[in-house]
Amino acid sequence: MPQPLPSLTEVEQACREAGLATPAPELHGGLCGWLAGGGEPGGRWLARVMVDDALPAPAEGSPLARLHAATLSQFEDRDFGLALLAPGDDASLSARSGALFDWCRGFVGAFGLAAGSQPKLSDEGQEALADLARLARASAQDEGDEEDEQALAEIEEFVRVAALLLHGDCALAARHRNRLN
């Protein structure tokens, strides 16, 4: 069973304390994109994702270190247990959709940093990355109805599966190739 993510509130507080001007969902998306793209999974992930070599590695046991450990374990989970850091179901549709689009922005940017400009992707992976890039450009919807709630749930599931697919194409495939050589 993969480790659970720290709460959104904990990660938001840790971002403020670290002086990051990035929303917590975007940071988590960046971490996921970095790992999915085959980026080094070690403790310097924050500096790599934020493209700031001056950022120290998160302190052991801190919310950011727990975010990293939980995300690593979720990507390795054979039951595809990846969770997206986002507001709870009690938050407004606007807050939840905005957080999802922030997550996608972080993912796409860090995936590009880790995987490079010409990653080896399956046809499905190329399509998934293009769809994530489109979502990264979207903006939150103010209000919605039950149909909009259902659509957001479907988009969240798509994003989760797309991240796992891209992780398989880049990080897992590279690991597998290294074992064969």
Side-chain angles (χ1 to χ4, degrees):
M1 179 117 192
Q3 297 175 31
L5 296 173
S7 74
L8 179 64
T9 305
E10 285 179 285
V11 177
E12 286 172 338
Q13 179 64 30
C15 285
R16 280 191 296 277
E17 289 171 4
L20 305 177
T22 301
E26 186 173 338
L27 178 65
H28 185 241
L31 171 58
C32 289
W34 176 256
L35 294 172
E40 172 58 43
R44 298 282 302 146
W45 69 271
L46 185 60
R48 302 292 177 262
V49 168
M50 298 304 298
V51 194
D52 183 352
D53 286 335
L55 285 172
E60 192 172 329
S62 71
L64 295 181
R66 293 192 341 263
L67 180 71
H68 178 254
T71 302
L72 276 174
S73 81
Q74 290 179 5
F75 267 123
E76 298 301 323
D77 180 37
R78 298 223 181 266
D79 292 326
F80 309 109
L82 180 66
L84 309 181
L85 186 67
D89 291 339
D90 56 336
S92 70
L93 180 67
S94 176
R96 288 181 290 126
S97 62
L100 181 62
F101 301 146
D102 285 346
W103 193 97
C104 291
R105 264 188 292 286
F107 185 94
V108 170
F111 182 84
L113 289 172
S117 60
Q118 298 292 319
K120 292 181 181 177
L121 298 176
S122 63
D123 289 344
E124 295 85 3
Q126 289 176 11
E127 193 173 310
L129 185 59
D131 288 341
L132 289 174
R134 273 193 288 285
L135 288 169
R137 292 189 299 272
S139 55
Q141 183 173 332
D142 285 338
E143 290 302 319
D145 57 18
E146 191 60 38
E147 199 173 289
D148 293 321
E149 291 285 343
Q150 182 62 37
L152 181 62
E154 289 172 10
I155 293 168
E156 286 172 350
E157 182 60 14
F158 166 79
V159 167
R160 203 181 67 72
V161 171
L164 289 165
L165 171 69
L166 290 164
H167 182 256
D169 277 4
C170 290
L172 294 181
R175 240 188 280 160
H176 185 68
R177 281 191 298 274
N178 288 342
R179 268 193 239 122
L180 293 176
N181 293 333

